Amino acid sequence: MAPLTCTKLSLITIVGVVTQIIGLSFFVFGFFPVKPTLPSTSGSESFYVPACDFVSNQSDTTLPSDQLKSSYQELSGIPPSFDRLILMIVDGLPAEFVLGKDGKPPNKQFKEAMPYTQSLLASGLAIGYHAKAAPPTVTMPRLKAMVSGAIGGFLDVAFNFNTQAMQDDNLLGQFFKIGWKMVMLGDETWLKLFPGLFKRHDGVSSFYVKDTVQVDQNVSRHLGDELSKDDWDLLILHYLGLDHVGHIGGRNSVLMAPKMKEMDEVVKLIHSSINQSQGNGQGRTLLMIVSDHGMTENGNHGGSTYEETDTLALFIGLRNHVFDYASVINQIDIAPTLALLFGVPIPKNNCGMNFPLYCLECDNAFLICIVLFNFPKMLSLEDSGNLTFTAMQKDKHLRALELNSWQLLRLLQAQLSGLPCRNFPCDAFYDHQSSGSTDCNHETEDMLCCLYMEATTLYTSWKSKRGFESASNKDYSSAAAAYYKFLKSASEWLSRRSTDKPVKLLALGLATMFVSTVILSSLMFCRLREIYHGGKQQSLNLNDSMNGWSLDETFILSVILILVSSMTSSSMVEEEHYIWYFLISTFYILLLRKTAQSLSAVRFQSSFFTQNGQSREGYFRMCFVFLLLTSGRVLRGWHQGGVNWTSLPDISKWLEQAGSQHVKSLQLISAFLVISIGLFALFSIESKGKCFQMVRLSFLISGLLVLLHITKYQDYTFSSTNYGATLLVQIIYAILGVATIGSVVALPWVIPFSTSKICPTDNTISPHFLSIHEKFPLVELRDSLYVIGWAYVLCWCLLQLLLQQPINTTPILLLLLQILAGTLYFARSGTHHKEWVEIAAFYYLGMAGHFALGNTNTLATIDVAGAFIGISSHSTLLSGILMFIITYASPMFILLSLVMYISMKNMAHLVIPEKAGPGDHLMMMLGFSCLVPLVINSILLTAYTVVLLLMQNHLFVWSVFSPKYLYVCATAVCTYIGIFIVAATGFYAYFVLDMRKQKPYSC
């Protein structure tokens, strides 16, 4: 086989990466498609029994709105219970803050923060539900679920940052068709979802989470005027401040109770206005208070934990009743309930069921759930045993259940091709059901048909007896119970059902990724064979340790097998950080063992003078290993992380409980040490050129400004939104950008040609390098990359000091110490370790650091608050970049530090002097640094893609495996970016230096 050249290696690597990106794109868009929906919108056909050949009534679109409204009311048989709706969304409010949890009342501070709302609940003027939201728990898909009743696609979490107009059938569209006038105040997501539907609106950005005050005042300032007007039918109020408080300070923020008190005052104002307007004969108004999602202890959301999915649904404006039981519903149940309350068709793709007002046990032991309709009197639970309804009230209840059943049945017919159907949708069971109820133990299609026909038969039987004494409560309760059984079964099946996936597209994506993995792995194998198993090792007389397999090499490869194996377990995915902590600690122990063995070998085999020098080097390496072990142990204990053991104590929790002053002090000390280490490295460079002075000065100013920002603006609990803080951060961004980019661009042009080295290491330049130094700029290249590497490292550290939470400043220091200790250890170890082993170890360190900074495989740990530091107005692109920088701080830190590793590591043994050319030297310095991370990433990405396919029907596919896959994809993007920076930096510096020597080069 022909030896690899620089050109061949570069082109094949690019082909492999591009192929992988294409395959990944195919798979992502195949596995996470936009969920298919039924076209058009519900119309008058909603009020007729479904038929297989039924065509939607097209005349609906031509009717004037007032006639359409009257037609709907006449066909439905259920008069609207209310005339107007006020929908108040308190973003991020967990239901347990208002209703409590597990039968217990809410915490005292939260209960006292909303006295008026609590008085409404206690007096029976309000009814509250725990509404379970489906993941991903972010705003846009949750709003779509509430107004359409449909389960969104998983990738809605990405679309949340770039909301598009909603095309599916929804409540707002139905209200608009019957002539409703709508007003929206608050989150501009509504304006993006429903452009042109609102008569008046005042939108605010939902992503600028630093604002906890003005974002709500912009809503409330219009409230008095809007409540006094009668030219609207739907008023939407979307308050964002409570969610922003959570992002900044978590559930227990000191700002939480005052914000809840502010929301309580809004509820009081609205309720007082409702009472007054109803007294003036303006019609009945329903106030519904909902939240789109909850929040974790640290205030984030996006995942599937109870804290994130526990949302509020609170009804105020009902007739007096006593209610002391907080039921649990699904968030998608809101859409059909509101549709039936206001007399419009249920949205076509709704998967929910209209939910109960309260539940009671009847004499025949059937559970009857009474929905929100216009009952003249609501009794207390103590009186429920004597509850009786007129035939009209019972018929309204059963009619509502029938309409909801028809809508779900149409959706089932569209998604289950095998559903039996003729005149009746499921008349295959008609004769069977007429004889009485059965257990309906059949396959999915037959079971659903059986449940539906049982409910239809019982309802028909009750209607035939209506008006006679024989129409007992038992007949009514049996029909209602049968309907609820069908609705629950159909809703659960539709909610669980995975979207149909294009098998060919998935297969193509997986095959393409597999091909790219083979390409990159083959390149790696060829490079290893050329260096370690070809003629070079004999000619270079390498150390014996370079031959055969050593324990550290076996372990590095075993890590990949362990990771791939662990991916098949949902519990291991949730607690992945433990795997990385164990693996990286084990590797450090192997380094300690190998260093001890080398020291022992030196003592017995070397002369006194050689032994003295080598022993000193061995002791230095031993110190570096102990530094790795110590810093690694502290780092792994900083954040408990994961899902199942977050309640366990860790260092960050201890510091937070000790008080903000302790966190602030530790933050300042850590930031000072990080800046001092970086500046010491830059100022220790011997060169006094103007370019070097500018680099030093720029980073010195940046470091001082970062310390100023931490001291003056970066408070632990509060987050400043003033102009001074934003301007200061923008200045820091500008200086860091100019200093870093300027270093990369200018240094290769101005660095002096000399035999002296800038790099302050003991790493002796190989005689082979000296013999070819006259032809190729190797020493100058190492010097340039050393300074550029430190510029990358210091720039990244300063960015993290700005963007990370204050509690994460110390982990940044610990990561820097591990990178420096690891780099110095490997630089001084010579050929005791193979380069691919060292770079793989760095990659593993980056992943361990990723979890040590508090990240997990759930979307809830993404730090949204830090993504707006230094941004004066919302920008999806800029905020997304900052969010990526915060989340992937550790992996990118490691990749950028490879530039410094390249400059300090003696790789002379990787080159054959008599055949050496510029391309061979570039491969020597960049080959393993680029290939090793790409190969590891490719193997893990492809393996997890296979796992995701195998787990596509798993119970936790959307809550555990899919979020993890998004993180795997983002890690791949991080690897591509980091390797591109490393390769581009090396190529650019080499070619500029070579050009300055005016020697022809070829790659």
Side-chain angles (χ1 to χ4, degrees):
M1 181 178 178
L4 283 174
T5 63
C6 176
T7 303
K8 184 185 295 185
L9 180 67
S10 302
L11 290 178
I12 297 177
T13 302
I14 293 173
V15 169
V17 171
V18 171
T19 302
Q20 190 171 93
I21 294 174
I22 294 173
L24 181 60
S25 302
F26 285 158
F27 186 86
V28 167
F29 287 105
F31 195 87
F32 302 107
V34 177
K35 192 156 187 172
T37 57
L38 295 180
S40 71
T41 60
S42 295
S44 58
E45 78 278 359
S46 300
F47 306 107
Y48 295 96
V49 63
C52 297
D53 55 352
F54 189 87
V55 180
S56 178
N57 188 355
Q58 300 299 325
S59 63
D60 285 355
T61 58
T62 61
L63 288 176
S65 57
D66 55 344
Q67 295 183 23
L68 187 61
K69 182 178 181 180
S70 301
S71 174
Y72 284 167
Q73 293 182 11
E74 180 181 354
L75 291 171
S76 69
I78 308 172
S81 301
F82 300 93
D83 303 297
R84 300 204 301 178
L85 171 64
I86 299 177
L87 182 61
M88 178 179 173
I89 301 96
V90 184
D91 204 297
L93 176 62
E96 65 177 283
F97 282 14
V98 180
L99 305 177
K101 181 182 179 182
D102 298 331
K104 299 179 181 178
N107 293 339
K108 183 179 179 181
Q109 59 171 337
F110 295 146
K111 189 172 184 178
E112 294 178 349
M114 302 190 78
Y116 190 80
T117 304
Q118 292 296 335
S119 69
L120 293 177
L121 286 167
S123 62
L125 294 174
I127 174 175
Y129 293 90
H130 290 265
K132 184 179 180 181
T137 46
V138 291
T139 297
M140 187 271 287
R142 296 302 93 230
L143 296 183
K144 291 171 69 175
M146 284 189 282
V147 299
S148 69
I151 301 293
F154 189 82
L155 282 189
D156 277 342
V157 68
F159 301 147
N160 183 62
F161 297 95
N162 187 25
T163 305
Q164 303 296 322
M166 187 174 183
Q167 303 298 328
D168 301 343
D169 191 9
N170 60 84
L171 285 177
L172 270 65
Q174 292 291 348
F175 290 153
F176 188 77
K177 285 169 61 178
I178 63 173
W180 272 30
K181 303 297 187 295
M182 294 175 279
V183 177
M184 197 290 300
L185 306 172
D187 187 355
E188 63 183 8
T189 302
W190 289 94
L191 302 179
K192 296 176 181 179
L193 284 173
F194 308 105
L197 258 62
F198 299 105
K199 181 177 182 178
R200 290 186 299 275
H201 59 80
D202 185 11
V204 296
S205 174
S206 62
F207 295 106
Y208 192 67
V209 299
K210 294 300 181 182
D211 181 9
T212 63
V213 179
Q214 192 64 41
V215 71
D216 286 343
Q217 291 180 353
N218 286 341
V219 180
S220 296
R221 64 177 177 169
H222 302 285
L223 190 54
D225 292 338
E226 292 297 342
L227 292 175
S228 64
K229 296 176 181 178
D230 60 358
D231 62 343
W232 54 263
D233 302 285
L234 170 62
L235 175 61
I236 297 176
L237 309 169
H238 193 138
Y239 287 92
L240 293 161
L242 190 139
D243 177 65
H244 292 183
V245 168
H247 281 299
I248 293 172
R251 280 191 171 212
N252 298 317
S253 169
V254 296
L255 300 177
M256 189 62 73
K259 180 56 66 175
M260 293 179 66
K261 177 66 175 176
E262 180 184 345
M263 296 297 99
D264 191 60
E265 292 296 328
V266 173
V267 173
K268 182 178 180 180
L269 175 63
I270 297 174
H271 188 240
S272 300
S273 176
I274 289 175
N275 291 335
Q276 182 179 0
S277 63
Q278 290 180 174
N280 297 333
Q282 295 182 9
R284 295 192 63 192
T285 302
L286 173 65
L287 169 60
M288 185 176 184
I289 305 171
V290 299
S291 56
D292 50 352
H293 52 75
M295 64 175 66
T296 59
E297 286 298 322
N298 60 8
N300 290 328
H301 54 89
S304 58
T305 64
Y306 174 83
E307 290 76 14
E308 297 163 85
T309 59
D310 178 38
T311 70
L312 178 68
L314 187 68
F315 290 87
I316 301 175
L318 307 174
R319 301 198 174 187
N320 292 349
H321 69 282
V322 176
F323 183 82
D324 59 3
Y325 176 79
S327 301
V328 178
I329 62 171
N330 290 313
Q331 199 176 60
I332 55 175
D333 297 338
I334 293 174
T337 302
L338 290 179
L340 292 169
L341 281 174
F342 289 95
V344 295
I346 299 174
K348 206 162 201 173
N349 295 286
N350 164 70
C351 297
M353 53 185 286
N354 57 86
F355 51 81
L357 178 61
Y358 61 88
C359 296
L360 55 111
E361 287 286 347
C362 290
D363 295 338
N364 58 4
F366 279 101
L367 188 66
I368 303 301
C369 298
I370 312 301
V371 292
L372 287 168
F373 288 113
N374 199 8
F375 295 115
K377 182 181 180 182
M378 293 299 174
L379 303 180
S380 68
L381 292 178
E382 290 77 11
D383 298 327
S384 62
N386 301 320
L387 185 61
T388 59
F389 298 107
T390 66
M392 181 180 295
Q393 294 160 0
K394 295 175 181 177
D395 195 36
K396 287 180 181 178
H397 179 209
L398 293 177
R399 175 61 171 168
L401 297 177
E402 182 181 51
L403 292 176
N404 198 175
S405 298
W406 286 352
Q407 180 269 320
L408 289 182
L409 194 61
R410 288 186 178 89
L411 201 57
L412 288 171
Q413 287 177 327
Q415 300 197 24
L416 281 173
S417 58
L419 202 67
C421 179
R422 199 165 68 232
N423 293 329
F424 283 94
C426 305
D427 67 345
F429 289 89
Y430 185 77
D431 295 335
H432 181 65
Q433 293 301 320
S434 61
S435 60
S437 61
T438 65
D439 293 335
C440 293
N441 295 322
H442 307 284
E443 296 296 329
T444 299
E445 294 88 345
D446 294 342
M447 182 267 291
L448 292 172
C449 282
C450 177
L451 292 175
Y452 171 78
M453 284 308 303
E454 181 178 352
T456 301
T457 302
L458 291 172
Y459 182 34
T460 303
S461 174
W462 183 84
K463 286 193 294 185
S464 66
K465 300 177 183 179
R466 186 171 47 190
F468 299 96
E469 293 184 2
S470 59
S472 64
N473 279 339
K474 180 177 180 180
D475 295 326
Y476 163 64
S477 60
S478 298
Y483 267 123
Y484 274 114
K485 191 173 183 180
F486 166 73
L487 288 172
K488 183 179 180 181
S489 299
S491 178
E492 289 179 351
W493 184 87
L494 289 166
S495 299
R496 286 196 310 264
R497 183 175 182 269
S498 301
T499 54
D500 293 330
K501 301 177 179 65
V503 177
K504 292 183 179 179
L505 190 62
L506 294 178
L508 178 61
L510 180 59
T512 306
M513 281 189 280
F514 180 77
V515 170
S516 71
T517 303
V518 172
I519 292 174
L520 295 174
S521 300
S522 299
L523 277 180
M524 181 74 178
F525 176 76
C526 292
R527 184 67 181 153
L528 288 171
R529 187 178 62 176
E530 285 184 357
I531 294 173
Y532 301 119
H533 300 285
K536 296 183 180 181
Q537 66 178 20
Q538 288 79 12
S539 62
L540 292 176
N541 193 24
L542 292 179
N543 190 291
D544 291 339
S545 65
M546 301 298 291
N547 300 316
W549 287 93
S550 61
L551 185 59
D552 56 345
E553 297 173 61
T554 305
F555 177 77
I556 288 295
L557 293 178
S558 300
V559 168
I560 298 177
L561 297 177
I562 294 172
L563 291 171
V564 171
S565 302
S566 67
M567 289 176 176
T568 58
S569 167
S570 61
S571 298
M572 297 299 286
V573 170
E574 291 176 332
E575 311 298 334
E576 184 183 353
H577 56 289
Y578 290 118
I579 300 175
W580 287 109
Y581 294 160
F582 170 76
L583 294 178
I584 200 68
S585 299
T586 304
F587 183 76
Y588 291 161
I589 294 296
L590 293 180
L591 294 185
L592 182 64
R593 173 181 177 273
K594 197 158 192 173
T595 304
Q597 287 178 337
S598 64
L599 282 174
S600 299
V602 167
R603 289 179 180 178
F604 288 101
Q605 298 177 8
S606 303
S607 64
F608 174 79
F609 296 103
T610 306
Q611 176 181 330
N612 189 37
Q614 292 186 357
S615 295
R616 186 171 62 252
E617 287 297 316
Y619 290 129
F620 274 125
R621 294 201 304 272
M622 186 72 73
C623 291
F624 294 143
V625 173
F626 278 115
L627 180 59
L628 287 171
L629 285 167
T630 304
S631 58
R633 184 62 190 90
V634 176
L635 192 61
R636 69 171 293 182
W638 202 262
H639 288 287
Q640 186 62 39
V643 175
N644 298 316
W645 312 108
T646 53
S647 60
L648 294 181
D650 53 37
I651 299 175
S652 64
K653 292 187 180 71
W654 288 337
L655 289 171
E656 289 170 349
Q657 291 171 0
S660 59
Q661 291 302 318
H662 293 81
V663 176
K664 191 74 174 181
S665 301
L666 189 60
Q667 180 190 14
L668 285 171
I669 294 172
S670 300
F672 177 78
L673 291 175
V674 169
I675 295 170
S676 299
I677 292 172
L679 292 176
F680 174 78
L682 290 178
F683 276 90
S684 64
I685 298 173
E686 297 177 0
S687 177
K688 298 181 180 181
K690 292 182 178 179
C691 180
F692 291 100
Q693 298 292 356
M694 290 297 296
V695 171
R696 294 164 180 156
L697 182 61
S698 298
F699 282 107
L700 174 62
I701 294 174
S702 298
L704 294 176
L705 291 178
V706 168
L707 289 176
L708 175 63
H709 180 269
I710 293 174
T711 305
K712 188 175 182 180
Y713 296 110
Q714 198 178 58
D715 190 84
Y716 179 68
T717 303
F718 302 94
S719 190
S720 175
T721 58
N722 63 47
Y723 177 76
T726 301
L727 179 62
L728 177 60
V729 176
Q730 290 175 349
I731 292 173
I732 295 173
Y733 288 160
I735 296 176
L736 284 178
V738 171
T740 306
I741 297 175
S743 301
V744 176
V745 174
L747 274 176
W749 291 98
V750 300
I751 192 168
F753 285 101
S754 66
T755 57
S756 64
K757 296 187 299 171
I758 291 176
C759 178
T761 71
D762 245 351
N763 192 18
T764 306
I765 294 293
S766 167
H768 298 299
F769 274 30
L770 297 177
S771 65
I772 57 176
H773 173 60
E774 295 299 324
K775 186 176 181 181
F776 301 110
L778 294 175
V779 175
E780 291 77 11
L781 178 61
R782 290 158 60 88
D783 294 346
S784 298
L785 293 182
Y786 177 78
V787 180
I788 293 173
W790 266 111
Y792 282 153
V793 167
L794 187 53
C795 174
W796 195 255
C797 286
L798 294 176
L799 280 177
Q800 298 305 323
L801 294 179
L802 276 179
L803 301 177
Q804 292 283 347
Q805 295 289 335
I807 199 67
N808 276 345
T809 305
T810 301
I812 295 298
L813 170 63
L814 296 174
L815 276 173
L816 177 61
L817 291 177
Q818 289 201 76
I819 289 172
L820 293 181
T823 302
L824 291 172
Y825 174 87
F826 292 135
R828 293 175 177 270
S829 65
T831 58
H832 284 84
H833 302 277
K834 295 181 180 178
E835 285 69 21
W836 68 270
V837 172
E838 298 172 353
I839 296 170
F842 275 124
Y843 186 89
Y844 298 158
L845 171 60
M847 292 307 302
H850 173 73
F851 292 101
L853 286 172
N855 296 292
T856 66
N857 285 325
T858 66
L859 302 177
T861 50
I862 296 176
D863 183 8
V864 178
F868 301 92
I869 296 177
I871 299 179
S872 54
S873 60
H874 173 64
S875 168
T876 302
L877 177 62
L878 294 178
S879 297
I881 292 173
L882 292 180
M883 197 180 301
F884 184 84
I885 290 174
I886 296 170
T887 306
Y888 285 90
S890 180
M892 188 62 75
F893 197 1
I894 293 297
L895 293 173
L896 293 177
S897 68
L898 289 179
V899 176
M900 186 170 59
Y901 165 84
I902 292 170
S903 70
M904 298 176 67
K905 181 69 177 179
N906 183 1
M907 302 180 185
H909 58 277
L910 304 182
V911 182
I912 302 177
E914 58 272 16
K915 297 182 180 179
D920 204 24
H921 294 143
L922 283 175
M923 285 196 297
M924 170 198 71
M925 305 191 79
L926 300 176
F928 285 131
S929 300
C930 295
L931 278 177
V932 173
L934 288 175
V935 170
I936 296 175
N937 173 76
S938 299
I939 294 173
L940 296 180
L941 176 63
T942 306
Y944 196 75
T945 301
V946 175
V947 170
L948 188 62
L949 271 180
L950 296 175
M951 298 296 173
Q952 59 181 311
N953 296 318
H954 194 279
L955 180 63
F956 300 140
V957 62
W958 300 118
S959 59
V960 176
F961 292 103
S962 293
K964 165 63 178 174
Y965 193 73
L966 294 184
Y967 275 106
V968 171
C969 295
T971 303
V973 173
C974 175
T975 303
Y976 301 149
I977 295 173
I979 294 305
F980 173 79
I981 293 174
V982 173
T985 302
F987 272 74
Y988 173 78
Y990 190 92
F991 289 153
V992 168
L993 289 168
D994 194 57
M995 186 184 304
R996 287 178 60 196
K997 284 199 170 185
Q998 296 182 350
K999 295 289 185 180
Y1001 60 85
S1002 60
C1003 178

